[in-house]
Amino acid sequence: MNVLVINCGSSSLKYQLINMEDESVLAKGLCERIGIEGSKLTHSPAGKDKLVIEQPMPDHQVAVKLVLDALVDEKAGVIKDIKEISAVGHRVLHGGKYYSDSIVVNEDVKKVIKDCFDLGPLHNPANLIGINACEAAMPGTPQVAVFDTAFHQTMPEKAYMYAIPHEYYEKYSIRRYGFHGTSHSFVSKKLLEISGLDANNSKVIVCHLGNGASVSAVVNGKCVDTSMGLTPLEGLIMGTRSGDLDPAIVEFIANKEGLTVSEMLNVLNKKSGVLGMSGGVSSDFRDLDKAALEGNELAKLALEAFVYRVAKYIGAYTAAMNGVDAIAFTAGLGENDKTTRKNIVSYLGYLGAKLDEERNNIRGEEALISADDSKVKLYVIPTNEELAIARETVALI
Ligand code: AMP
């Protein structure tokens, strides 16, 4: 059974076709610059040459058509007919308070995705267009929506409510939702599987550290808190997002610089984080590492502040859960950057957490990285959001 996983961003579409018999990736690819000049599809079939198509993609519907054509292409294709696709799993950013699980798409589901446009203005509209485009191109093939917010729906009210007038929750559903749910779910399940912890008596923390970054606290397999909020802007310092800050800063800078509120949010989402803190060096930690080594003090500060914020969240979640049995690091930085992991763990001595430097000397592979006498087990667990979406899809059809 082949499952097509689709992840539509505001101007992009990422996809993977996965053979669920052995969970191998048959092909993956990316449509970039949808709706803007210079649209491009890069299709990478397993064991064959890449196919690059540069032609206008005015909308996601055209992009979906090109992807399906590439999948059955005579040379770069991996299937003969799109009927060989049994189902499509769509990553959908925001399911609001309505969905705590993935669901087969019907008109009601589409209405909820639409009702959540306000909460995910860049992604939800693109996600819905992607679903409609796939339905049109593959009538009768089941479409499944996998929500980025769903895993966090088990958070208790005390964790998800903001201390603002209650009417805003009632009128506009303003609350914390959390994101990266598929990754936190996938990694926390894997962590329980490989650590030998009792799934019904476990307290774990997942640190998803990539360009976007978030931490979650998971008790007995259920999320009890996470660092992102109404939008992905809250929480950790990220590549370009500020994470937590005093909201009064928005008005202060807006007045001084003559910016509107939405221009300020653009600054906080796209120009802040380690990029902003480092004085514009980079949002990529590899560039920051290099600059810091060359003596750039602001790059050094950004890296230190990033690590410090992660350590503070681990401390907060340990307190919230009254303990922690295991911590997992995942995503670009969590999987690949041993120095960042080491620096974070250096704050955790009070928990009796001890890193084994030799075990930590790995990249992108699943491994225990704590010492045998560490009181908290530490792991690197590569995330695989596409596979998680494909598995959810299969489970539902
Ligand atoms: P993601 O958003 O999960 O794809 O993660 C992307 C981020 O991971 C990039 O911004 C890099 O800073 C970081 N990253 C990936 N590989 C490495 C590495 N070998 N060392 C340090 N950072 C890395």
Side-chain angles (χ1 to χ4, degrees), residues 34 95 100 176 202 211 284 295 341 358 377 383 388 390:
I34 299 169
S100 53
R176 306 183 61 254
S202 59
N211 190 32
D284 192 302
R341 292 193 299 257
E358 216 166 287
K377 288 186 171 180
T383 192

Side-chain angles (χ1 to χ4, degrees), residues 123-362:
H123 291 84
N124 270 41
N127 299 149
L128 187 58
I129 296 172
I131 289 171
N132 285 330
C134 286
E135 273 183 354
M138 291 180 269
T141 304
Q143 314 281 324
V144 170
V146 180
F147 298 95
D148 228 23
T149 48
F151 181 64
H152 305 301
Q153 279 295 303
T154 46
M155 282 194 283
E157 269 183 318
K158 65 184 175 189
Y160 71 67
M161 290 300 281
Y162 287 113
I164 56 173
H166 192 71
E167 63 181 283
Y168 299 129
Y169 174 68
E170 285 172 356
K171 284 203 269 191
Y172 312 120
S173 306
I174 303 291
R175 49 159 281 185
R176 306 183 61 254
Y177 290 96
F179 297 87
H180 294 141
T182 4
S183 177
H184 286 288
S185 167
F186 182 87
V187 173
S188 59
K189 281 191 183 78
K190 191 86 189 171
L191 177 55
L192 290 179
E193 207 180 290
I194 62 178
S195 62
L197 287 169
D198 175 357
N200 297 315
N201 186 20
S202 59
K203 298 166 179 174
V204 307
I205 293 175
V206 175
C207 303
H208 177 112
L209 309 177
N211 190 32
S214 63
V215 185
S216 66
V218 181
V219 175
N220 303 339
K222 300 233 180 307
C223 177
V224 295
D225 210 339
T226 192
S227 57
M228 285 177 164
L230 174 76
T231 75
L233 186 54
E234 190 178 336
L236 299 181
I237 296 173
M238 308 180 211
T240 62
R241 297 190 190 112
S242 64
D244 299 334
L245 47 69
D246 180 346
I249 290 172
V250 174
E251 187 198 29
F252 193 98
I253 299 179
N255 284 345
K256 294 277 182 203
E257 298 275 322
L259 299 176
T260 62
V261 171
S262 62
E263 284 167 341
M264 260 317 288
L265 281 176
N266 191 46
V267 170
L268 297 179
N269 271 306
K270 305 237 170 91
K271 298 181 181 168
S272 298
V274 288
L275 170 71
M277 262 191 113
S278 64
V281 170
S282 178
S283 62
D284 192 302
F285 284 78
R286 288 161 288 200
D287 300 335
L288 289 165
D289 281 339
K290 190 163 167 276
L293 274 175
E294 288 164 4
N296 185 314
E297 289 300 323
L298 287 181
K300 208 166 146 225
L301 171 65
L303 291 169
E304 283 173 2
F306 174 85
V307 165
Y308 178 65
R309 181 87 53 97
V310 177
K312 284 210 298 185
Y313 265 96
I314 291 175
Y317 288 169
T318 303
M321 298 191 292
N322 190 20
V324 59
D325 301 313
I327 300 173
F329 296 97
T330 194
L333 194 58
E335 291 167 27
N336 296 306
D337 190 356
K338 63 179 178 188
T339 310
T340 295
R341 292 193 299 257
K342 182 179 165 184
N343 291 342
I344 293 169
V345 177
S346 74
Y347 279 95
L348 309 180
Y350 70 101
L351 289 174
K354 263 195 229 165
L355 194 73
D356 179 318
E357 296 227 13
E358 216 166 287
R359 289 177 181 166
N360 186 43
N361 192 14
I362 46 129

Side-chain angles (χ1 to χ4, degrees), residues 15-19 22-28 44-46 384:
Y15 64 94
Q16 279 193 12
L17 184 67
I18 303 178
N19 173 353
D22 57 2
E23 299 191 333
S24 61
V25 177
L26 298 176
K28 60 182 172 183
S44 309
N384 191 336

Side-chain angles (χ1 to χ4, degrees), residues 54-170:
E54 295 186 34
Q55 75 170 66
M57 290 181 222
D59 55 39
H60 287 76
Q61 186 138 2
V62 177
V64 165
K65 170 92 177 59
L66 284 177
V67 169
L68 295 176
D69 287 349
L71 288 171
V72 297
D73 184 77
E74 217 169 292
K75 268 197 186 149
V78 289
I79 49 175
K80 294 230 153 47
D81 193 301
I82 54 169
K83 291 208 177 81
E84 290 173 45
I85 300 171
S86 305
V88 186
H90 295 266
R91 180 183 190 171
V92 181
L93 182 80
H94 225 302
K97 60 186 174 191
Y98 306 101
Y99 292 120
S100 53
D101 270 312
S102 307
I103 189 160
V104 177
V105 175
N106 59 23
E107 289 310 308
D108 293 341
V109 176
K110 285 198 216 170
K111 183 174 178 305
V112 169
I113 297 172
K114 205 167 178 188
D115 288 346
C116 293
F117 275 9
D118 263 0
L119 297 171
L122 292 182
H123 291 84
N124 270 41
N127 299 149
L128 187 58
I129 296 172
I131 289 171
N132 285 330
C134 286
E135 273 183 354
M138 291 180 269
T141 304
Q143 314 281 324
V144 170
V146 180
F147 298 95
D148 228 23
T149 48
F151 181 64
H152 305 301
Q153 279 295 303
T154 46
M155 282 194 283
E157 269 183 318
K158 65 184 175 189
Y160 71 67
M161 290 300 281
Y162 287 113
I164 56 173
H166 192 71
E167 63 181 283
Y168 299 129
Y169 174 68
E170 285 172 356

